[in-house]
Amino acid sequence: MRFFRRSPAQRGAKFICENLKALVETGKATMGGRMMLFMFSLMAPMTPKAALSSNWPLERAPDLSEIPAATEEA
């Protein structure tokens, strides 16, 4: 018997579906979903300033032209 590994996208889709189902049925997310949201709130102060939502429109994003581009060598 073969064991098939799920891709990260499949695991993420399963997680989202389970949380949406729990939200519809019980009015709150699963314990795993709530723990994930809690961890997001703990990690938020460590997020780089460039990732702020005020920088999301690309017109206001920091200039990245100074970063050297990766080149492929044959």
Side-chain angles (χ1 to χ4, degrees):
M1 181 175 182
R2 288 185 173 178
F3 293 99
F4 295 101
R5 297 186 71 184
R6 291 184 176 187
S7 72
Q10 288 172 328
R11 289 191 301 259
K14 182 177 185 262
F15 179 79
I16 291 169
C17 289
E18 287 175 354
N19 277 288
L20 285 174
K21 181 180 180 208
L23 184 63
V24 169
E25 291 177 352
T26 65
K28 58 185 180 179
T30 62
M31 183 59 142
R34 287 181 289 184
M35 290 298 294
M36 185 179 71
L37 291 172
F38 174 72
M39 293 303 293
F40 284 163
S41 66
L42 284 180
M43 300 302 281
M46 294 177 245
T47 304
K49 298 297 180 200
L52 289 173
S53 61
S54 59
N55 293 331
W56 275 77
L58 296 180
E59 296 84 33
R60 293 184 290 187
D63 185 22
L64 301 178
S65 62
E66 298 173 4
I67 299 173
T71 58
E72 290 185 27
E73 295 182 16

